[in-house]
Amino acid sequence: MPTGRTSRLHTTALLAALLGALLFVPPAPTADAADRTVQGGRLDWGIKSSFQNYVTGPIAKGSWSLSGGAGTVGEKLFRFHSASGAYDPDAGSLSSAFGGGVRFTGHTKADGENELDLTVSSPTVRISGRTGTLYADIRSKARGSGQISDRRQVPMASLNLGGVDMRGGGSAVALNGVPATLTAEGAKSFAGYYEAGTPLDPISLSVDVKPAKEASAGDGPGGPGKAEESEKPGKDGTSEKAGTVADAALDWGVRRTFREYVGGPIAEGRWKLSGGARDGGALYRFPGEKGRFDAEKGELSADFGGSVHFTGKDLDLTLEKLSVSVKKNKGTLRADGTAIATFDAPLKPEKGLLLVEEADTELTEDGAKLFGSLYRAGTEMDPLTLAVALDEDAKLPALPDLGSEPTTEPPAKSAQSDGKDATDSTASAATDSGDSGTPVLPLTLAAALLVVAAGATWFVRRRRTAATSVNSEEQAPR
């Protein structure tokens, strides 16, 4: 004969199952039920700000550098680009890989060798349910022994999404301030500077999501090949005039430390692109408007559209109407007619393309005045890349894909929510409203069912609450 406790548990289980069946509403079938392709986006992550301070501080006396098109946002955030992967809106799972890397060096010895040498690149975020993992390629030098470790896609950090429901997203998925904790594998690859369980900087990401059928359209309308061609304006129609430029692009980040100053605590500012200028993470791309190349004289002139506007405390600077002129392998960059920087530019066309890659730029006297004397004449600015297509068949280099601007509206809570609101966590999600998620039961019906079952399920709820508290403590950064 069952005891009172056993009977109570049976009754509780039965009522809980009944309540679950009544509350569960299966998602309505949609044409986009299959996994959707992630194409374009960015991941912003400082890795660990205190580690950044240590590297550049008086003990390590080091620095960090970017690679693979990675950029910065403000002073402490690194931006990784060109998201690719898949998103399942029904299961709420996301797998997205990003490009770019950051290398930290310090503790330089007399022979020039760095005792501290750590590179984190190609981060990948994989999320299932309310938790996830951040993987990365890590190359590090062990403390003491100096042994080099080079590992791909190390599970570096565990991610806690708290009450965020990843299901039902539309054409974009964004996460802001997701807590990250160093894993045991990450600690090993982190050169032993931190132990497993150490809180890392939170991550934020925004990715564009497209239906699989759209992303795999090949060379048809909307396919990658067609889109690439559509971005190339073809200035001269079907017949290219001798000496004229078919297309061009100017890539320049102005100066990394200037961008950090603008977005940092002193200026507390921002920048805005317009007129067709694009954000490439570590640089801005300005589209070509018109130009001419004289192969015999080795001279080039090109005008570029778009602008970048920097604003902040005591700061209001616009760079627009950019142009480049090259004579005798010496280049000059102008903004609104004013020569602001010079660079070396050997012009050697190959297969219809003139390419000057990452040329060192130096600020002019007039350029120093334009920046309000923040920098002296002769200051090294960001490298400049100039690409000029001399015929319609030449293709310009691809720009890192940062996707569209993230939305800020939180998703609707699913009927299968655990009762936590997204605002209970430091993580928040935003999804495009173009697609509806799982429908939610009317509040009155859900409330009535909860009242009926409240007396019989108090024991289960009490145990569940206790378990949740323990789990929360285990996942909390130490």
Side-chain angles (χ1 to χ4, degrees), residues 4-237:
R5 180 175 181 274
T6 303
S7 177
R8 188 164 58 249
L9 287 175
H10 285 169
T11 302
T12 296
L14 178 62
L15 288 175
L18 176 61
L19 179 62
L22 289 171
L23 285 177
F24 173 72
V25 179
T30 65
D32 299 326
D35 284 4
R36 302 175 184 179
T37 299
V38 169
Q39 185 175 320
R42 80 285 301 268
L43 168 71
D44 294 339
W45 189 36
I47 300 180
K48 188 168 178 63
S49 56
S50 59
F51 181 70
Q52 291 188 44
N53 294 336
Y54 170 77
V55 170
T56 58
I59 299 177
K61 296 181 180 178
S63 61
W64 51 262
S65 59
L66 301 171
S67 62
T72 56
V73 184
E75 286 189 309
K76 298 293 184 181
L77 282 178
F78 305 116
R79 173 160 285 178
F80 304 89
H81 58 84
S82 302
S84 62
Y87 169 65
D88 185 339
D90 292 336
S93 61
L94 172 71
S95 177
S96 183
F98 301 84
V102 56
R103 180 185 181 188
F104 301 93
T105 56
H107 292 300
T108 306
K109 298 188 293 188
D111 60 3
E113 184 179 356
N114 296 304
E115 292 186 10
L116 186 160
D117 196 333
L118 171 68
T119 299
V120 178
S121 61
S122 303
T124 298
V125 171
R126 295 176 185 170
I127 294 172
S128 179
R130 308 299 171 88
T131 61
T133 303
L134 184 143
Y135 300 79
D137 293 350
I138 302 179
R139 187 179 191 276
S140 62
K141 181 180 291 188
R143 297 174 65 183
S145 68
Q147 183 177 356
I148 298 293
S149 171
D150 200 341
R151 304 177 62 195
R152 292 179 57 81
Q153 294 304 290
V154 176
M156 184 177 181
S158 59
L159 308 177
N160 180 4
L161 276 72
V164 174
D165 193 336
M166 292 285 293
R167 293 171 299 176
S171 61
V173 175
L175 294 168
N176 183 46
V178 177
T181 305
L182 188 66
T183 64
E185 288 295 312
K188 292 178 183 177
S189 297
F190 215 86
Y193 282 92
Y194 300 101
E195 297 180 351
T198 300
L200 301 174
D201 282 6
I203 72 163
S204 297
L205 65 85
S206 173
V207 298
D208 289 345
V209 179
K210 299 181 179 180
K213 59 182 179 181
E214 177 182 338
S216 61
D219 294 329
K226 191 68 176 181
E228 187 173 327
E229 291 179 6
S230 66
E231 292 177 359
K232 185 175 178 180
K235 307 289 189 300
D236 303 311

Side-chain angles (χ1 to χ4, degrees), residues 420-441:
K420 281 186 181 178
D421 195 353
T423 55
D424 291 338
S425 169
T426 54
S428 62
T431 55
D432 192 283
S433 58
D435 295 283
S436 60
T438 305
V440 182
L441 278 175

Side-chain angles (χ1 to χ4, degrees), residues 302-320:
D303 297 337
F304 299 88
S307 66
V308 55
H309 185 198
F310 299 95
T311 55
K313 291 182 179 177
D314 301 319
L315 173 66
D316 192 340
L317 171 65
T318 300
L319 297 178
E320 59 183 352

